[in-house]
Amino acid sequence: MKIGVLALQGAFAKHLKMLESFKVKACEVRTEKDLEALDGLIIPGGESTTMLRLMKDENLFEPLKEFIKYHPTFGTCAGAILLAKEVKNPPQVSLEAMNITIERNSYGRQINSFTKEVSVAVLGSNPLELVFIRAPGISKVGQEVEVIATCQNRPVLVKEGKYLAATFHPELTEDTRVHKLFLTMIGY
Ligand code: GLN
């Protein structure tokens, strides 16, 4: 099994490290060719507008959209924004994979980052630490979307078929459970 991590910009290195700690083959994705022979993809946090611009510069937007149609994909923070079918604050194009509406910088610009602990039934009894950095907020989910974790009454980890999206940064903690959840979705 081989998983790609979109490496145009943002927090991709920590995702690669986490995958390598599971002894999963992982590689950086920067071009269309890098998508060949991958079983899944992680889109990291960063700046979704910058990532979109770089995707267009590299002619990667359409190939990524096509790849995601058929492969498990996990988006964290800006990655979740790119997977959402509808983006607000302000509206922005996306890869339109998940039936969710997401609002960028939804905790206000003055709150750059914060952490919270929540309990997540499917992840067992230990609380999960959530690291939010200029985080988006999921304001609407379609019927087929499973809300796995919430924080302050808002969905923060959601799954829809082969897609997983987190509005926080699981790669920035030592806790590997969210990545493991994604790997089980690929059949690892
Ligand atoms: N605020 C960023 C955006 O709108 C997301 C922040 C992040 O990925 N940590 O793209």
Side-chain angles (χ1 to χ4, degrees):
M1 185 167 75
K2 193 170 171 194
I3 302 192
V5 181
L6 188 66
L8 295 175
Q9 185 262 346
F12 56 88
K14 290 266 164 77
H15 282 289
L16 286 162
K17 243 189 164 162
M18 197 164 279
L19 292 172
E20 280 154 11
S21 78
F22 305 140
K23 310 262 181 285
V24 171
K25 266 199 221 155
C27 71
E28 297 178 2
V29 172
R30 291 200 172 86
T31 64
E32 180 175 0
K33 204 168 178 327
D34 296 333
L35 291 169
E36 279 170 21
L38 292 182
D39 301 293
L41 180 72
I42 295 180
I43 305 181
E47 268 310 313
S48 53
T49 41
T50 309
M51 277 194 232
L52 278 168
R53 184 171 47 75
L54 294 171
M55 273 177 209
K56 291 195 171 148
D57 289 354
E58 297 298 324
N59 292 321
L60 195 56
F61 184 80
E62 288 303 330
L64 264 179
K65 207 166 168 178
E66 199 55 24
F67 177 88
I68 288 169
K69 269 188 203 159
Y70 305 104
H71 297 87
T73 302
F74 175 25
T76 60
C77 208
I81 295 171
L82 292 168
L83 289 181
K85 281 203 174 134
E86 188 181 27
V87 180
K88 290 184 170 172
N89 190 35
Q92 153 174 305
V93 295
S94 72
L95 298 163
E96 295 177 29
M98 296 182 79
N99 197 5
I100 59 175
T101 299
I102 201 160
E103 322 234 345
R104 298 180 59 208
N105 301 307
S106 94
Y107 295 86
R109 286 192 187 275
Q110 66 280 27
I111 308 170
N112 266 326
S113 62
F114 61 98
T115 63
K116 278 264 182 296
E117 280 196 354
V118 296
S119 60
V120 183
V122 298
L123 298 182
S125 52
N126 282 345
L128 181 71
E129 187 187 1
L130 311 176
V131 179
F132 294 100
I133 303 172
R134 296 189 317 283
I138 295 170
S139 54
K140 229 195 272 173
V141 298
Q143 254 182 2
E144 60 282 41
V145 177
E146 189 187 332
V147 176
I148 297 175
T150 59
C151 179
Q152 299 170 340
N153 291 321
R154 297 208 261 178
V156 292
L157 180 63
V158 294
K159 177 177 179 294
E160 180 181 356
K162 56 186 175 302
Y163 306 126
L164 186 67
T167 59
F168 56 96
H169 285 265
E171 80 285 6
L172 294 184
T173 67
E174 301 293 307
D175 195 328
T176 57
R177 287 176 293 168
V178 179
H179 284 78
K180 280 190 179 145
L181 174 68
F182 178 58
L183 293 181
T184 60
M185 288 166 55
I186 310 186
Y188 185 69

